Amino acid sequence: EPEVTQTPSHQVTQMGQEVILRCVPISNHLYFYWYRQILGQKVEFLVSFYNNEISEKSEIFDDQFSVERPDGSNFTLKIRSTKLEDSAMYFCASSVRGVPYNEQFFGPGTRLTVL
Amino acid sequence: SQELEQSPQSLIVQEGKNLTINCTSSKTLYGLYWYKQKYGEGLIFLMMLQKGGEEKSHEKITAKLDEKKQQSSLHITASQPSHAGIYLCGADDQGAQKLVFGQGTRLTINP
């Protein structure tokens, strides 16, 4: 069964360093998303991406964040200068179509720890 | 924007017992999604509901969306240890290309 994959599973970085989180969405999906979950808190939306453009972004997704689909398979989230409060589980998701009534399939997540 | 409130926040039940988890929305729901998350892992899609009164089942899990489309319930019959985890409800957010989530219900099954 097709699934969303993410690498790395764990990333430890120093405050101020750049990190790139990678995702391979399900191959026939057209919509891509990043969410994050700080320990003990709700899953929060960061950004959605369709047709090589950002469709929607949250207040969290400031200038320190960027997304890219560098080729036909990967979808990346870059954090330019990490802060302590960026420590969280980051989930990539993909769907065949956009909202409403779109089933989003999530990857296993990347646990980011900023020291 | 849409806000989702789940109850209870945690639930401990004896194996074999039935249980219900509720998800209440601040606004009319369009798509309502149930996911299961094991601690520290990704979200596994369970079911999507879209019409008022709709009910769907998968194995021993049944989810329903009420007629007014502001509340959904997830019911597990004859619970098993494999049902343990965190159940999350998610919803379309007023046409925005994103889902909003409830805070989750942590389910523990005691043997």
Side-chain angles (χ1 to χ4, degrees), chain B residues 32-85:
Chain B
L32 186 285
Y33 309 83
W34 283 100
Y35 288 86
K36 181 184 174 185
Q37 182 181 30
K38 289 191 176 178
Y39 183 75
E41 298 182 12
L43 282 65
I44 299 165
F45 174 78
L46 296 175
M47 279 173 278
M48 176 182 72
L49 303 166
Q50 54 190 87
K51 298 177 185 174
E54 184 176 11
E55 185 172 306
K56 284 187 177 177
S57 293
H58 175 68
E59 297 178 344
K60 292 184 178 178
I61 301 176
T62 300
K64 185 172 180 179
L65 184 60
D66 76 342
E67 291 289 345
K68 292 183 180 179
K69 295 179 68 175
Q70 284 203 264
Q71 188 168 37
S72 177
S73 58
L74 184 91
H75 184 77
I76 298 177
T77 304
S79 57
Q80 300 169 354
S82 60
H83 289 128

Side-chain angles (χ1 to χ4, degrees), chain A residues 27-38:
Chain A
S27 62
N28 64 331
H29 286 189
L30 300 177
Y31 293 79
F32 314 112
Y33 312 84
W34 284 101
Y35 293 82
R36 78 174 186 188
Q37 186 178 33
I38 295 171

Side-chain angles (χ1 to χ4, degrees), chain B:
Chain B
S1 64
Q2 197 100 12
E3 294 275 339
L4 298 177
E5 191 70 30
Q6 287 183 237
S7 62
Q9 291 191 24
S10 66
L11 193 53
I12 302 173
V13 300
Q14 205 72 22
E15 184 177 350
K17 297 294 186 184
N18 304 336
L19 63 105
T20 299
I21 297 168
N22 293 302
C23 175
T24 302
S25 173
S26 59
K27 299 182 181 180
T28 300
L29 290 162
Y30 291 91
L32 186 285
Y33 309 83
W34 283 100
Y35 288 86
K36 181 184 174 185
Q37 182 181 30
K38 289 191 176 178
Y39 183 75
E41 298 182 12
L43 282 65
I44 299 165
F45 174 78
L46 296 175
M47 279 173 278
M48 176 182 72
L49 303 166
Q50 54 190 87
K51 298 177 185 174
E54 184 176 11
E55 185 172 306
K56 284 187 177 177
S57 293
H58 175 68
E59 297 178 344
K60 292 184 178 178
I61 301 176
T62 300
K64 185 172 180 179
L65 184 60
D66 76 342
E67 291 289 345
K68 292 183 180 179
K69 295 179 68 175
Q70 284 203 264
Q71 188 168 37
S72 177
S73 58
L74 184 91
H75 184 77
I76 298 177
T77 304
S79 57
Q80 300 169 354
S82 60
H83 289 128
I86 300 170
Y87 289 83
L88 297 166
C89 63
D92 294 328
D93 188 18
Q94 304 285 293
Q97 287 292 338
K98 63 178 184 178
L99 297 181
V100 292
F101 286 91
Q103 78 276 30
T105 294
R106 183 181 294 273
L107 174 63
T108 303
I109 309 293
N110 283 336

Side-chain angles (χ1 to χ4, degrees), chain A residues 45-48 54-61 63, chain B residues 98:
Chain A
F45 167 78
L46 292 177
V47 66
S48 57
I54 290 174
S55 311
E56 199 90 33
K57 60 182 181 179
S58 70
E59 293 174 353
I60 303 166
F61 195 89
D63 292 345
Chain B
K98 63 178 184 178

